[in-house]
Amino acid sequence: MAQRIPKTLSWIGELPGTLRMIDQTRLPEEFVEIDCETVEQVWQAIKRLSVRGAPAIGVSAAYGTVIGLQDATNTSRLEFDQKLNEVTDYLASSRPTAVNLFWALERMKNVVSGIPAASPAEVLLRLLEEARAIESEDREMCAAIGRHGAPLMPNQGGVLTHCNAGGLATAGDGTALSVLFAAASVGKKIHVFADETRPLLQGARLTAWECQQRDVPVTVICDSMAALVMREKKVQAVVTGADRIAANGDAANKVGTYSVAVLAKAHGVPFYVAAPSSTFDLSLASGDLIPIEERTRDEISHGFGKQIVPDGVDVWNPAFDVTPAAFIAGIITERGVIAPVSSESVAAMLGT
Amino acid sequence: MAQRIPKTLSWIGELPGTLRMIDQTRLPEEFVEIDCETVEQVWQAIKRLSVRGAPAIGVSAAYGTVIGLQDATNTSRLEFDQKLNEVTDYLASSRPTAVNLFWALERMKNVVSGIPAASPAEVLLRLLEEARAIESEDREMCAAIGRHGAPLMPNQGGVLTHCNAGGLATAGDGTALSVLFAAASVGKKIHVFADETRPLLQGARLTAWECQQRDVPVTVICDSMAALVMREKKVQAVVTGADRIAANGDAANKVGTYSVAVLAKAHGVPFYVAAPSSTFDLSLASGDLIPIEERTRDEISHGFGKQIVPDGVDVWNPAFDVTPAAFIAGIITERGVIAPVSSESVAAMLGT
């Protein structure tokens, strides 16, 4: 089944190569792929959300680093290393909240600093290997999250998700959606309720598309209908992804996730977060310290081509919100499920 | 201040006259008024939602009756009465589910049957008086709701509202918005947070426009951000309208209202409903008995003029939800505030 699912990201060629990605801003109307040949194209693709989702951003940034350096092999090692810093600083400026972005760039830099005697050409080759390793580890991570999460899903019932923590957000099957796809693949009859996820509608556009690609039944609802879906007992669990998780388990994710978590608690529905261990930022004691990106007015006021807010009226557009650990029944990682969620259980799972 | 606010509906001239209305389908991109000179134009305006909101539809139908008869005064009384039946039957077919439409037309017909000896010209004059009475009673109802609700609003703070229960839905200042405008007019510094209200975006399009017209500060948010607004203590109260209220105080309103009410309770924010006593349906013991209209898929899947849900994917689009009385801190009517909300307190206020 996996073969017929288009890949979110692929490296085309060897060196020099290009990064091919599905342009997620065009789905579901059109299936279009973009070939990034310059680091500016990768930066733009991340910034304008052609590629989105913390793991996919990390993989893109890793390949973006290769792209940014593949014309620099005829320089000195010193110049190459300076260029590396420029390229990674530049890529880091594309999305401030996505911790995987910084994590992937740090990993690329560590490769370079670990081989001080290598030539620029040798370093570049090693960077491509590292980017490929990040990609394949991401794919394995998705599969492991699916295995750990599937037993938590109902055998016959509904599961609500918000935004898109699917294959389009990763190099593999996704995080939250991997749990659902893994449950479906072991024979559980699951019906997905996908919040459309304003303002950028990743749920309606992307989660629905992925479920359809994998023949998992899905119903799209407006975000404001999630409470009613819970009240009518149409769902027995909620699973979302996360963009950054603090040491105490507080989880930042797409705006609206906190709303879903509060509603789930009020209706006695377990709320799970599915995210790789790389999503944890143990330098932050709690979610209050997670910086929240505010995005532009027009995503709300002119979303999808039509003006819907009068000129001159204020709009608030935080891209993320933080769900306190107390609302989270469990965090499903590639290493296992953290439950109940606390600083202690997080530390125990992450081995810190 | 009120003078420069465009009126949702106005009768222009005497007899013959025209019904001028704001074309709400063009807001917020364009402010356009329509002058209806024929009953067909009034019917079309109601049908295509140029005028919407139960009270405003009732007032439009009353004036529409006058317009449909104002060329019929040179006929016999018998012919005039036949024409009345034709005109009211025709207007009744514009929005077959709008209760206020039938109520207003019935009231117009009762005027005619009450003066069997009057000439067509005298009857027409009396019909115009009745339409004006329906309009001014609606305006007074709005003002009374505002007076009763204003003391419940914070002195300096934010208030969240969902959908549009404003002047555009009535001949006056609205219901929920009348409370906010009345609070502002007695000097309270209020900042309105308007849920955009998917799928039809009445909050972003209409509530924001009305607040702007009245110089009441307003910020538009996506529905999924209401929880975050509450968590960050940006609002100290929530006020919405209602479409139908059961005898026990359970209130049906635009879908998403229930979500806001659950979130408000979880954050310790009082949730109020503002609605005239005519909104109560005492034949229904509880909200479980209120029928919920399901609307078409395309309001969600193609709601911004662009396809946002893949073809073939299921969509659920309930137009309303029911908020149980236990979540409602008070129901603000033109007669006073029902609080706490119970079958007994509802019966006491309505005098049943």
Side-chain angles (χ1 to χ4, degrees), chain B residues 161-162 164-165 175-176 239-243 251-254 257 271-275:
Chain B
T161 188
H162 189 76
N164 175 258
T175 54
V239 193
T240 73
D243 285 82
N253 192 44
K254 180 60 56 199
T257 303
F271 173 88
Y272 297 103
V273 168

Side-chain angles (χ1 to χ4, degrees), chain A residues 25 28-29 162 191 196 198-199 201 204-205 208-209 212 218-225 227-229 231-232 234 255-256 258-259 262-263 266-267 288 300 303-304 306-318 320-322 324, chain B residues 28-29 162 191 193 196 198-199 201 204-205 208-209 212 218-225 227-229 231-232 234 255-256 258-259 262-263 266-267 288 300 304-318 320-322 324:
Chain A
T25 64
E29 282 192 292
H162 189 76
H191 191 103
E196 64 172 4
R198 279 283 284 153
L201 301 161
R205 296 191 297 112
W209 184 81
Q212 190 178 44
V218 59
T219 296
V220 172
I221 57 169
C222 294
D223 305 328
S224 63
M225 297 168 189
L228 188 56
V229 162
R231 184 170 164 82
E232 295 196 353
K234 293 183 195 286
V255 71
Y258 169 64
S259 179
V262 173
L263 294 169
H267 292 87
D288 298 339
I300 294 177
F304 302 86
K306 203 174 151 181
Q307 178 174 5
I308 62 161
V309 178
D311 289 334
V313 166
D314 185 41
V315 164
W316 189 46
N317 187 14
F320 302 95
D321 57 29
V322 174
Chain B
E29 284 193 286
H162 189 76
H191 191 104
F193 284 84
E196 63 173 4
R198 280 282 285 150
L201 300 162
R205 296 192 299 110
W209 184 83
Q212 188 179 44
V218 59
T219 297
V220 173
I221 57 169
C222 295
D223 304 329
S224 64
M225 298 169 189
L228 188 56
V229 162
R231 183 169 165 82
E232 295 198 351
K234 292 182 196 287
V255 72
Y258 169 64
S259 179
V262 173
L263 294 169
H267 291 86
D288 298 338
I300 293 177
F304 300 86
K306 200 174 155 182
Q307 178 174 2
I308 62 161
V309 178
D311 289 333
V313 166
D314 184 41
V315 164
W316 189 44
N317 186 15
F320 303 97
D321 58 27
V322 174

Side-chain angles (χ1 to χ4, degrees), chain B residues 123-136:
Chain B
V123 174
L124 185 68
L125 202 62
R126 193 51 205 87
L127 283 172
L128 178 58
E129 279 171 16
E130 192 69 11
R132 286 184 157 145
I134 291 172
E135 180 190 346
S136 77

Side-chain angles (χ1 to χ4, degrees), chain B:
Chain B
M1 189 163 75
Q3 285 86 334
R4 67 179 180 77
I5 311 297
K7 284 181 71 180
T8 303
L9 295 163
S10 351
W11 181 255
I12 305 296
E14 290 293 324
L15 281 171
T18 59
L19 177 62
R20 179 169 295 170
M21 56 175 70
I22 298 172
D23 185 352
Q24 300 187 35
T25 64
R26 310 283 282 275
L27 289 173
E29 284 193 286
E30 292 179 293
F31 177 81
V32 176
E33 288 177 315
I34 305 170
D35 284 340
C36 298
E37 294 172 3
T38 67
V39 68
E40 288 79 12
Q41 289 171 328
V42 176
W43 188 94
Q44 283 289 349
I46 296 172
K47 182 73 177 178
R48 69 167 177 256
L49 312 188
S50 290
V51 61
R52 46 152 287 284
I57 289 172
V59 174
S60 300
Y63 283 120
T65 304
V66 175
I67 288 173
L69 290 165
Q70 60 189 1
D71 291 335
T73 49
N74 290 330
T75 60
S76 71
R77 177 63 197 265
L78 183 67
E79 283 169 315
F80 185 90
D81 286 9
Q82 283 170 344
K83 178 85 174 166
L84 170 77
N85 285 332
E86 281 169 31
V87 165
T88 53
D89 285 355
Y90 174 63
L91 285 168
S93 69
S94 59
R95 293 275 315 265
T97 52
V99 168
N100 292 53
L101 175 63
F102 306 116
W103 167 85
L105 293 171
E106 206 51 46
R107 200 165 141 174
M108 297 297 275
K109 290 204 286 195
N110 287 341
V111 162
V112 178
S113 60
I115 45 172
S119 72
E122 287 169 327
V123 174
L124 185 68
L125 202 62
R126 193 51 205 87
L127 283 172
L128 178 58
E129 279 171 16
E130 192 69 11
R132 286 184 157 145
I134 291 172
E135 180 190 346
S136 77
E137 286 163 27
D138 191 55
R139 202 179 303 282
E140 283 157 28
M141 175 274 288
C142 293
I145 286 176
R147 275 196 307 279
H148 291 301
L152 301 171
M153 295 298 101
N155 236 321
Q156 184 115 20
V159 181
L160 182 86
T161 188
H162 189 76
C163 200
N164 175 258
L168 288 167
T170 65
D173 269 351
T175 54
L177 291 194
S178 179
V179 170
L180 297 175
F181 298 153
S185 77
V186 297
K188 289 191 171 182
K189 298 266 175 259
I190 286 185
H191 191 104
V192 178
F193 284 84
D195 276 357
E196 63 173 4
T197 317
R198 280 282 285 150
L200 296 182
L201 300 162
Q202 295 92 336
R205 296 192 299 110
L206 307 179
T207 296
W209 184 83
E210 286 196 46
C211 289
Q212 188 179 44
Q213 293 289 317
R214 285 170 175 81
D215 293 326
V216 173
V218 59
T219 297
V220 173
I221 57 169
C222 295
D223 304 329
S224 64
M225 298 169 189
L228 188 56
V229 162
M230 293 177 196
R231 183 169 165 82
E232 295 198 351
K233 304 196 191 307
K234 292 182 196 287
V235 293
Q236 286 70 48
V238 178
V239 193
T240 73
D243 285 82
R244 204 192 298 205
I245 305 176
N248 69 344
D250 292 354
N253 192 44
K254 180 60 56 199
V255 72
T257 303
Y258 169 64
S259 179
V260 171
V262 173
L263 294 169
K265 190 167 196 111
H267 291 86
V269 176
F271 173 88
Y272 297 103
V273 168
S277 53
S278 59
T279 310
F280 285 84
D281 183 346
L282 300 178
S283 72
L284 304 179
S286 84
D288 298 338
L289 301 166
I290 300 177
I292 298 298
E293 173 192 4
E294 291 198 15
R295 293 178 61 89
T296 57
R297 178 184 193 279
D298 64 300
E299 287 184 351
I300 293 177
S301 66
H302 292 71
F304 300 86
K306 200 174 155 182
Q307 178 174 2
I308 62 161
V309 178
D311 289 333
V313 166
D314 184 41
V315 164
W316 189 44
N317 186 15
F320 303 97
D321 58 27
V322 174
T323 299
F327 290 90
I328 305 173
I331 302 177
I332 305 162
T333 76
E334 79 281 15
R335 301 184 189 182
V337 180
I338 301 171
V341 181
S342 67
S343 300
E344 294 68 30
S345 62
V346 167
M349 181 64 76
L350 298 185
T352 53

Side-chain angles (χ1 to χ4, degrees), chain A residues 11-344:
Chain A
W11 182 255
I12 304 297
E14 290 294 323
L15 279 171
T18 57
L19 177 61
R20 179 169 295 170
M21 52 175 73
I22 298 173
D23 184 352
Q24 302 188 32
T25 64
R26 311 282 282 273
L27 289 173
E29 282 192 292
E30 292 177 292
F31 178 81
V32 176
E33 288 176 315
I34 305 170
D35 284 341
C36 297
E37 294 171 3
T38 68
V39 67
E40 289 78 14
Q41 288 172 329
V42 176
W43 188 94
Q44 283 289 348
I46 296 172
K47 183 71 178 179
R48 69 164 179 258
L49 313 188
S50 290
V51 62
R52 21 99 15 235
I57 289 172
V59 174
S60 301
Y63 283 120
T65 304
V66 176
I67 289 174
L69 290 164
Q70 61 189 0
D71 291 336
T73 49
N74 291 330
T75 61
S76 72
R77 177 63 197 264
L78 183 68
E79 283 170 314
F80 185 89
D81 286 8
Q82 282 169 345
K83 178 85 175 164
L84 170 77
N85 286 332
E86 281 169 32
V87 165
T88 52
D89 285 354
Y90 174 63
L91 285 168
S93 69
S94 58
R95 292 291 304 273
T97 307
V99 73
N100 297 55
L101 174 63
F102 309 115
W103 168 86
L105 292 172
E106 207 52 45
R107 199 165 142 175
M108 297 298 275
K109 289 204 286 195
N110 288 341
V111 162
V112 179
S113 59
I115 46 173
S119 71
E122 288 169 326
V123 175
L124 186 68
L125 204 60
R126 195 47 205 88
L127 283 173
L128 178 58
E129 280 171 17
E130 192 69 11
R132 284 185 159 144
I134 291 173
E135 180 188 346
S136 78
E137 287 164 26
D138 191 55
R139 203 178 305 282
E140 283 157 29
M141 171 276 289
C142 293
I145 286 177
R147 278 196 305 279
H148 291 302
L152 301 171
M153 296 297 102
N155 235 321
Q156 183 116 22
V159 181
L160 182 85
T161 188
H162 189 76
C163 200
N164 175 258
L168 288 168
T170 65
D173 267 353
T175 53
L177 291 193
S178 179
V179 171
L180 297 175
F181 297 153
S185 77
V186 298
K188 288 191 171 183
K189 297 266 174 260
I190 285 186
H191 191 103
V192 178
F193 283 83
D195 276 357
E196 64 172 4
T197 317
R198 279 283 284 153
L200 296 181
L201 301 161
Q202 294 93 335
R205 296 191 297 112
L206 308 179
T207 296
W209 184 81
E210 286 196 46
C211 289
Q212 190 178 44
Q213 294 286 319
R214 285 169 174 81
D215 293 328
V216 173
V218 59
T219 296
V220 172
I221 57 169
C222 294
D223 305 328
S224 63
M225 297 168 189
L228 188 56
V229 162
M230 294 178 196
R231 184 170 164 82
E232 295 196 353
K233 302 193 192 308
K234 293 183 195 286
V235 292
Q236 286 70 49
V238 177
V239 194
T240 74
D243 285 80
R244 198 187 298 207
I245 305 177
N248 69 344
D250 293 352
N253 192 43
K254 179 58 55 200
V255 71
T257 303
Y258 169 64
S259 179
V260 171
V262 173
L263 294 169
K265 189 166 195 111
H267 292 87
V269 176
F271 173 89
Y272 297 103
V273 168
S277 54
S278 61
T279 310
F280 286 83
D281 182 347
L282 300 179
S283 72
L284 304 180
S286 84
D288 298 339
L289 301 166
I290 301 176
I292 298 299
E293 173 188 4
E294 291 200 15
R295 293 181 60 88
T296 55
R297 177 184 194 279
D298 64 299
E299 286 184 352
I300 294 177
S301 67
H302 291 73
F304 302 86
K306 203 174 151 181
Q307 178 174 5
I308 62 161
V309 178
D311 289 334
V313 166
D314 185 41
V315 164
W316 189 46
N317 187 14
F320 302 95
D321 57 29
V322 174
T323 299
F327 290 91
I328 305 173
I331 301 177
I332 306 162
T333 77
E334 79 281 16
R335 302 185 189 182
V337 179
I338 302 171
V341 182
S342 67
S343 300
E344 294 69 32

